[in-house]
């Protein structure tokens, strides 16, 4: 399928497989545009066929052009602020950034600066792109690694739905205290708020369902540490930190959940991201290298030194 951006329009060249299908069928079932957005596109008359506004029941033929007014100018939603960002992947629809430690994903109060979202807004501005900064998921302030942004409203809607269905695979690395005896496994424990602490979470029978899969990559007997690969079937706040602490292996540096302060932050890194592109359906796979492994103990998380 041939897709291209032309100004504010997304232009799709109709492939042979769409012949004799209606515009509406393709929008609903092939592009999987959410109902609310379909209604908006219909009311605003922002779908064209071969540069003409055409009834949505019109049949398509190979080589036709479907055009969607997708790249409209929007407020960033945050104040653009210059800060270097490490880009892992970018096209007209998707941006994946390798987040460094010590910054929030997005502002938590009006006018806040210094977040990754502020830096992404500045990046958009330098590209001449005027669009809302849309993070698809977030990472804790001191967690590093791959984080996904949608650059248009359609991609944002599709990616949000993919995240809900767990169709976006996020793989983390964590350095934990203790030598883990079980090499692979699953932690199935609900997580809720800790009523005795404003930010902490805890395993609670009344909490939300939470599932974490783990795989021990390497142990370091002299340091009594384990390097663990983790995948989430759910996305609860502090999920990895809570679950690993609950089974007796808190993250190095994670004082909130019982880790020792031998590093300045918790040793958690979003190592890789895998998803199908929201528009083209092409497979996207990225790996986020650790930006700074100079701090003691973080060198143990450098996969280049860890055998498979």
């Amino acid at each position: 399928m041939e897709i291209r951006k032309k100004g504010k329009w997304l232009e799709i060249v109709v492939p042979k497989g769409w012949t004799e299908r209606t515009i509406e069928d393709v929008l609903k079932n092939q592009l999987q545009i959410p109902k609310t957005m379909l209604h908006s596109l219909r009311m605003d008359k922002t779908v064209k066929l071969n540069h003409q506004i055409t009834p949505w029941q019109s049949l398509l033929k190979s080589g036709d052009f479907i055009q969607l007014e997708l790249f409209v100018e929007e407020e960033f939603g945050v104040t653009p602020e210059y800060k270097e960002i490490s880009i892992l992947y970018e096209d007209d629809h998707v941006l994946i950034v390798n987040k460094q430690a010590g910054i929030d994903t997005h502002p938590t109060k009006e006018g806040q600066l210094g977040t990754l979202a502020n830096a992404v807004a500045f990046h958009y501005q330098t590209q001449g792109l005027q669009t809302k900064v849309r993070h698809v998921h977030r990472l804790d302030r001191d967690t590093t690694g791959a984080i996904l942004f949608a650059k248009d409203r359609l991609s944002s809607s599709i990616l949000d739905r993919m995240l809900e269905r767990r169709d976006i695979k996020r793989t983390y690395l964590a350095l934990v205290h203790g030598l883990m005896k079980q090499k692979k496994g699953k932690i199935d424990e609900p997580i809720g708020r800790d009523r005795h602490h404003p930010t902490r979470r805890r395993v609670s029978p009344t909490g939300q369902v939470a599932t974490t899969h783990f795989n021990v990559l390497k142990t370091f007997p002299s340091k009594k540490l384990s390097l663990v690969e983790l995948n989430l079937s759910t996305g609860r706040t502090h999920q990895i930190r809570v679950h690993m602490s609950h089974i007796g292996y808190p993250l190095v540096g994670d004082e909130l959940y019982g880790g020792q302060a031998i590093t300045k932050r918790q040793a958690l890194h979003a190592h890789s991201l895998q998803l199908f592109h929201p528009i083209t359906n092409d497979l996207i796979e990225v790996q986020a290298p650790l930006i700074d492994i100079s701090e003691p103990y973080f060198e143990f998380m450098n996969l280049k030194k860890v055998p498979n």
Side-chain angles (χ1 to χ4, degrees), residues 142-273:
D142 287 327
T143 299
T144 57
I147 188 163
L148 175 64
F149 292 84
K151 295 176 70 174
D152 63 77
R153 55 186 177 143
L154 175 56
S155 295
S156 178
S157 295
I158 294 172
L159 289 170
D160 284 346
R161 193 165 56 213
M162 289 170 64
L163 191 69
E164 287 176 8
R165 295 195 306 246
R166 304 299 156 194
D167 290 336
I168 299 175
K169 184 179 179 182
R170 292 176 286 164
T171 301
Y172 293 80
L173 295 176
L175 191 67
V176 303
H177 293 289
L179 302 177
M180 294 187 67
K181 295 177 182 178
Q182 185 178 345
K183 298 307 179 185
K184 287 186 178 183
K186 179 174 71 171
I187 308 167
D188 247 330
E189 296 287 354
I191 293 176
R193 289 184 177 274
D194 186 335
R195 64 179 184 274
H196 302 296
H197 195 286
T199 59
R200 191 164 52 203
R201 301 297 194 272
R202 67 185 181 91
V203 166
S204 166
T206 59
Q208 295 177 298
V209 173
T211 305
T212 302
H213 303 266
F214 66 85
N215 174 32
V216 178
L217 297 179
K218 191 173 183 181
T219 57
F220 304 92
S222 65
K223 299 291 184 180
K224 295 184 179 179
L225 301 174
S226 299
L227 179 62
V228 188
E229 180 183 80
L230 302 118
N231 290 287
L232 307 182
S233 295
T234 53
R236 309 305 176 202
T237 300
H238 296 180
Q239 179 172 322
I240 289 173
R241 299 165 64 187
V242 173
H243 271 173
M244 294 308 294
S245 177
H246 178 72
I247 65 171
Y249 300 99
L251 272 62
V252 167
D254 191 2
E255 291 184 272
L256 187 62
Y257 294 105
Q260 297 176 28
I262 56 177
T263 57
K264 294 178 182 178
R265 64 177 181 89
Q266 72 263 11
L268 184 61
H269 178 67
H271 170 65
S272 66
L273 195 62

Side-chain angles (χ1 to χ4, degrees), residues 24 34 150:
E24 184 168 25

Side-chain angles (χ1 to χ4, degrees), residues 38-56:
L38 281 172
H39 179 73
S40 174
L41 290 169
R42 193 191 297 271
M43 293 298 101
D44 297 339
K45 300 186 185 301
T46 49
V47 177
K48 294 182 179 180
L49 180 64
N50 300 324
H51 306 285
Q52 301 293 325
I53 295 173
T54 307
W56 283 19

